[in-house]
Amino acid sequence: MSGLLQLMIVIVLMFVLFFGIGFILNMLMKTTWFPIYGYIALVIGLVIWAWQRDAVPFGQSVSGYGVSDYVSALAGLVGAALSGSTIKSLRMKGYKMF
C-alpha cells in the first residue's frame, strides 16, 4: 500500500518538476518545445552513461527498470509537453510576457 502511495507522489512530483522547469525555460528562451528536446537529450545521455559504465547490453540494462520507473519518466515527459502547450496557448491569447 505504501508503494502505491509513493508512486502517486513521484508521479505528481515529476510532472510538476518538469512542467515548472519547462515553463520557466520557455518563458526565458522564447521557445515552445525546448523542454521536450531537453528531456529527450537527458534521457539519451543517461542511457549512454549507464550503458558505458556497466558495459552490459542495452536490453539488459533497460529490462532492469520496473513499471514505476517508466511511469514516473512518462509523467515527466507529459509535464514537459504540457508546459510547451501552455506557453503556446498563452502566446496565442496575447500575453507578451510569454
Side-chain angles (χ1 to χ4, degrees), residues 1-2 18 20 27 29 34 37 45 53 66 83 93 96-97:
M1 186 64 171
S2 71
F18 278 96
M27 204 169 36
M29 297 182 69
F34 178 74
Y37 301 138
R53 189 185 66 164
S83 71
K93 291 180 182 180
K96 298 294 182 190
M97 183 177 154

Side-chain angles (χ1 to χ4, degrees), residues 27-85:
M27 204 169 36
L28 293 176
M29 297 182 69
K30 303 283 187 198
T31 64
T32 302
W33 300 113
F34 178 74
I36 293 178
Y37 301 138
Y39 180 86
I40 292 171
L42 173 72
V43 169
I44 290 172
L46 287 175
V47 166
I48 290 172
W49 177 73
W51 186 39
Q52 293 295 327
R53 189 185 66 164
D54 295 335
V56 295
F58 180 72
Q60 285 181 342
S61 65
V62 171
S63 66
Y65 296 119
V67 174
S68 62
D69 299 321
Y70 292 118
V71 170
S72 62
L74 184 64
L77 182 63
V78 169
L82 195 60
S83 71
S85 298

Side-chain angles (χ1 to χ4, degrees), residues 1-8:
M1 186 64 171
S2 71
L4 183 61
L5 180 63
Q6 288 176 349
L7 179 63
M8 290 180 359

